Amino acid sequence: MIRVLLADDQALVRAGFRMILKAEPGIEVVGESADGRDAVELAGALEPDVVLMDIRMPEMDGIEATRRITGVAENAPRVLVLTTFDLDEYVYEALRSGASGFLLKDAPEEQLLAGIRIVADGGSLFAPAVTRRLIERFAETRAPEPPPLLVELTPRELEVLRLLAGGLSNAEIAATLVVSEHTVKTHVARILAKLDLRDRVQAVVLAYESGLVQPGTGRAARRDDPA
């Protein structure tokens, strides 16, 4: 059973999501919150698997609430951000703060349900092109600052990170590098561990912000490319 916490300041929105999730086998709504501060407290008390998090809420916004929820422990709830606009700096900051992806509030019912199951299973909603477009748009406004831990990655791990940031799935990365998908999964797991990242979304954000991938192109930056 996937335990879900709803965090949105609009009662009608929460009611709509609650009705959808109540009818879905294997998913249970364990609590609701109308503000970020309460969402953090309920996440700690109820221990949900997934938090559906609105960004703009009173008391504490969804960005800070996401940072506090995902940063408490290794088995912290996963956060799926809900937004009205697909290109929103607030969503970008939420992804940087630990959210595992985002969905538009008017997304089809099946997309919402699939998104909840994906993040509950440890995955992330990076695959849609809109997520990469969002990251590219806001990452290009920041000066590349390679994190110190980046030097800990092997050349192959850097290559995998570049391909991951380009939007390739594990299977596509395996085909590109002519290795097994299991090998790619191992590389991704090591990348996340070495860089102290929660999931693929944070890895993609870091890849763009550090200059490994050029914003606006989806192309991996090479040694002769401008930083």
Side-chain angles (χ1 to χ4, degrees):
M1 183 68 70
I2 300 174
R3 297 163 53 82
V4 177
L5 171 65
L6 304 178
D8 195 299
D9 62 340
Q10 298 182 45
L12 287 177
V13 172
R14 296 198 309 274
F17 285 131
R18 183 172 64 251
M19 288 180 62
I20 292 173
L21 301 183
K22 185 177 181 180
E24 182 67 12
I27 296 179
E28 175 187 11
V29 176
V30 296
E32 299 182 27
S33 172
D35 66 74
R37 191 176 304 280
D38 188 47
V40 174
E41 294 178 358
L42 286 177
L46 301 175
E47 298 184 343
D49 300 301
V50 178
V51 180
L52 291 184
M53 179 75 73
D54 187 22
I55 290 293
R56 303 176 188 183
M57 294 186 292
E59 299 297 329
M60 179 187 295
D61 64 30
I63 298 172
E64 180 59 26
T66 295
R67 182 179 295 111
R68 296 193 185 191
I69 290 173
T70 61
V72 295
E74 189 173 314
N75 60 345
R78 313 279 292 185
V79 174
L80 189 54
V81 172
L82 300 170
T83 181
T84 306
F85 305 103
D86 60 357
L87 287 180
D88 188 329
E89 184 173 8
Y90 292 102
V91 177
Y92 174 72
E93 291 300 332
L95 295 178
R96 296 183 76 240
S97 299
S100 295
F102 77 94
L103 286 173
L104 298 180
K105 287 188 176 181
D106 60 356
E109 180 177 323
E110 59 271 17
Q111 190 174 343
L112 170 66
L113 297 173
I116 291 174
R117 294 187 186 283
I118 288 171
V119 299
D121 193 41
S124 56
L125 292 183
F126 170 66
V130 66
T131 306
R132 190 171 74 243
R133 191 169 80 248
L134 171 81
I135 293 173
E136 288 179 350
R137 172 170 174 174
F138 293 104
E140 67 185 353
T141 65
R142 301 169 180 268
E145 297 180 2
L149 290 177
L150 209 59
V151 300
E152 299 294 328
L153 300 185
T154 66
R156 176 47 62 95
E157 288 168 349
L158 284 170
E159 191 172 12
V160 170
L161 179 56
R162 291 187 181 103
L163 294 173
L164 188 158
L168 276 65
S169 66
N170 284 350
E172 291 169 332
I173 294 174
T176 299
L177 300 179
V178 194
V179 297
S180 71
E181 191 170 346
H182 176 74
T183 297
V184 173
K185 290 181 179 179
T186 299
H187 283 313
V188 172
R190 288 175 178 170
I191 289 169
L192 298 181
K194 287 183 178 181
L195 299 180
D196 193 25
L197 300 174
R198 185 168 175 79
D199 55 30
R200 296 167 72 98
V201 170
Q202 287 194 310
V204 172
V205 171
L206 181 145
Y208 277 100
E209 291 189 342
S210 66
L212 281 178
V213 175
Q214 296 178 340
T217 66
R219 180 167 61 91
R222 302 186 183 279
R223 292 187 180 182
D224 54 346
D225 282 338

